[in-house]
Amino acid sequence: MSAPAGPDRVVPTWTDPVAVQASEAVGGPWGRHAVTGRALFWTPLRVCLLFTVLVLSLAWTKQAPCADGDWQGSKQYTHLCYNDAVPLFGIHGLADGDVPYLDSAVEYPVLTGGLMQLAAVVARGYDQLAAGVGPLPDAVPVESYYVVTCLLLSALALLVTRGVLGLSGRRPWDAAMVGLSPVLLVHAFTNWDLLAVALTTLGMWAWARRHPVVAGVLLGLGIAAKLYPVMVVGVLFALCLRAGQLRPWLATAVSAGLAWLVVDLPLAVLAPENWARFFTLSDSRPANPESIWAIAQHWWPGFLGGAPAQGESPSALNATVAVLLVLTAAGVCWLALAAPLRPRVPQLAFLLVAAFLLLNKVYSPQYALWLLPLAVLARPRWRSLLLWQATEALVWAITMLYYLGADNRGLDVEWFHLAVGLRDVALVVLVALVVREVWHPDADLVRRSWPGTDDPAGGVLDGAVDRVTLRRRAQPARASRSRETSSA
């Protein structure tokens, strides 16, 4: 089928109601006879990167009151600028030159600890240089460390935007949903999650470019930063099974495992107890306040054994969560094999990661960053994405006021639980919308956007014929897609 006359990419102000309304501020939607694809400088990539820079600048402005470590008067809560980097700078001895894992037990996977160490080394170099060079501004060590950390995280955020644009096919402006994200504004500098998000996004981009080994290396490094990218590898397995493309998946899985081993094995040998801190903490920690389990145990204290005593593991909760997550993974795999048309990679990845966060005993607020690029690629519609992200921002604000304490002009636990409940409902609705589009591919905006589009992020899966399905009468993907695009 030949491409339609007109622009060689999807124009948001022609297709998205929110983009149409927002365009009125700059003269209205893009003209029918306007030329696209010939900008000398302001390409979609550069504009989306500029959006990201602007949002990161606002994020830094929000975080600036907490940068120097002077948190008297609960400034970290009243200014909504709490972050993990500042307190952990002293707790893990980074201020004294200690090396994570070798000198202190860090509660994060190895590559995250490596980023913490990199920021500490660069910050110490700056402090030494500033002490000998007059024009450079002086700063207390923790402030130098936090500024360097934020700069590194900013670079990673730009990589996320670039990766999403590369995965969006003929919809490059979808990357603006990442650059202008409220979640990025709120949580870019809360923790080090952008490292895993960037590696995962780039790994998916490498898969889309049909480089399975490179994809595996990047995803393996992502697993060494946060464990959640392993779910993307699992999603690729289900989709490759349906398409009969297990050889590329095997190359990705093996290279991911090797990359993880290269990063983790040396520290597992040199400092086994400190290296294992992340895994032991994951087993022994109770439900964190933002999870559904903590809410249930607050209102029903004996639920699943209640909150464990100091040093005890919540075995009943751990077992319940494990069973639910296994069942959820099985359900997502069934959906991958039973859907009328093979789901797109971001759709299935979003569903599995979202279900993991909703059912897991830990749902830290900044984990919303894990979902951001997946949600944008799974369902690139401004309205639903902004509504979900608004609830994530609300949870952060209410959480800070809840931690401030009702006796200190903060909020009671009921308001905190209400905000978490609204966030969970919004995420469940977004999950339901994605499931609906998987089950009814004609409603999938990405596939409707351009004739012949299957999965821009699919790599070897893009346009592949199904080999293994759970449908009674499986039809070739190409035939199904042809009927879909003709009806669109």
Side-chain angles (χ1 to χ4, degrees):
M1 183 180 294
S2 60
D8 61 353
R9 60 179 67 119
V10 175
V11 180
T13 56
W14 294 1
T15 58
D16 191 284
V18 175
V20 172
Q21 295 175 7
S23 69
E24 297 297 333
V26 290
W30 192 258
R32 291 288 173 182
H33 301 286
V35 177
T36 63
R38 299 183 187 178
L40 295 178
F41 186 82
W42 290 116
T43 61
L45 172 60
R46 290 193 175 103
V47 172
C48 291
L49 291 177
L50 177 62
F51 288 158
T52 307
V53 170
L54 292 175
V55 169
L56 291 171
S57 300
L58 293 175
W60 168 249
T61 302
K62 178 182 75 73
Q63 294 298 118
C66 289
D68 60 1
D70 181 10
W71 289 4
Q72 294 183 11
S74 300
K75 182 189 296 184
Q76 72 274 29
Y77 302 138
T78 59
H79 289 67
L80 309 182
C81 61
Y82 173 84
N83 63 85
D84 289 323
V86 168
L88 292 184
F89 179 68
I91 292 174
H92 291 307
L94 294 171
D96 303 320
D98 289 353
V99 178
Y101 309 105
L102 296 181
D103 299 316
S104 64
V106 177
E107 62 271 28
Y108 299 109
V110 169
L111 208 59
T112 298
L115 183 62
M116 297 165 61
Q117 174 67 8
L118 174 62
V121 170
V122 174
R124 282 198 299 271
Y126 173 83
D127 291 338
Q128 293 171 2
L129 185 63
V133 180
L136 291 178
D138 292 327
V140 294
V142 66
E143 185 172 13
S144 301
Y145 169 74
Y146 188 56
V147 169
V148 171
T149 297
C150 291
L151 290 174
L152 293 173
L153 292 173
S154 296
L156 293 168
L158 293 172
L159 289 176
V160 173
T161 301
R162 179 63 185 94
V164 169
L165 189 142
L167 288 163
S168 58
R170 294 184 181 271
R171 302 180 54 88
W173 290 107
D174 289 350
M177 300 182 189
V178 174
L180 296 174
S181 164
V183 164
L184 187 65
L185 170 63
V186 173
H187 290 304
F189 307 134
T190 301
N191 196 283
W192 297 272
D193 292 78
L194 277 173
L195 175 60
V197 175
L199 289 168
T200 303
T201 306
L202 294 177
M204 292 176 63
W205 187 21
W207 173 268
R209 298 290 296 273
R210 307 195 179 204
H211 300 301
V213 173
V214 177
V217 170
L218 290 167
L219 289 172
L221 294 176
I223 295 169
K226 291 282 183 180
L227 287 185
Y228 90 91
V230 75
M231 288 182 275
V232 177
V233 179
V235 162
L236 291 176
F237 170 76
L239 295 174
C240 286
L241 176 63
R242 175 164 177 164
Q245 296 284 347
L246 288 178
R247 183 174 295 179
W249 176 83
L250 187 61
T252 297
V254 170
S255 56
L258 291 175
W260 181 84
L261 278 175
V262 167
V263 173
D264 274 61
L265 188 58
L267 289 173
V269 172
L270 294 174
E273 291 185 5
N274 289 346
W275 170 81
R277 170 64 175 162
F278 167 74
F279 300 99
T280 56
L281 179 63
S282 298
D283 177 71
S284 62
R285 69 186 300 178
N288 84 317
E290 292 85 3
S291 70
I292 58 173
W293 308 107
I295 296 176
Q297 289 178 341
H298 173 82
W299 295 106
W300 299 282
F303 182 71
L304 292 178
Q310 184 70 26
E312 292 185 0
S313 176
S315 55
L317 176 59
N318 288 345
T320 301
V321 170
V323 170
L324 289 175
L325 291 179
V326 169
L327 292 175
T328 299
V332 171
C333 185
W334 176 86
L335 184 63
L337 299 176
L341 196 65
R342 187 175 55 252
R344 294 185 291 108
V345 172
Q347 287 178 316
L348 221 57
F350 168 77
L351 292 177
L352 187 54
V353 176
F356 172 81
L357 291 179
L358 287 167
L359 297 175
N360 196 25
K361 65 178 183 178
V362 178
Y363 188 169
S364 297
Q366 72 272 9
Y367 288 178
L369 288 168
W370 301 3
L371 291 172
L372 178 58
L374 299 177
V376 168
L377 293 166
R379 195 172 191 272
R381 298 177 185 267
W382 280 97
R383 181 171 296 152
S384 58
L385 289 175
L386 288 176
L387 287 174
W388 158 63
Q389 292 180 75
T391 63
E392 295 283 3
L394 176 65
V395 165
W396 180 247
I398 298 298
T399 298
M400 294 295 96
L401 295 175
Y402 168 59
Y403 287 168
L404 184 62
D407 295 335
N408 196 24
R409 298 185 179 181
L411 294 177
D412 290 320
V413 67
E414 292 83 2
W415 290 103
F416 172 66
H417 288 168
L418 177 61
V420 172
L422 289 174
R423 186 271 313 276
D424 290 349
V425 169
L427 185 53
V428 168
V429 170
L430 192 55
V431 165
L433 291 172
V434 173
V435 171
R436 174 182 175 273
E437 293 181 359
V438 168
W439 206 249
H440 301 282
D442 289 343
D444 183 0
L445 184 62
V446 173
R447 285 188 162 122
R448 286 169 41 197
S449 296
W450 200 267
T453 296
D454 180 24
D455 184 0
V460 297
L461 300 170
D462 187 28
V465 177
D466 290 341
R467 302 296 183 187
V468 178
T469 69
L470 297 178
R471 298 187 64 77
R472 185 174 301 174
R473 297 181 61 184
Q475 296 177 330
R478 294 184 184 277
S480 300
R481 194 182 320 111
S482 297
R483 282 194 299 275
E484 176 194 334
T485 52
S486 63
S487 65

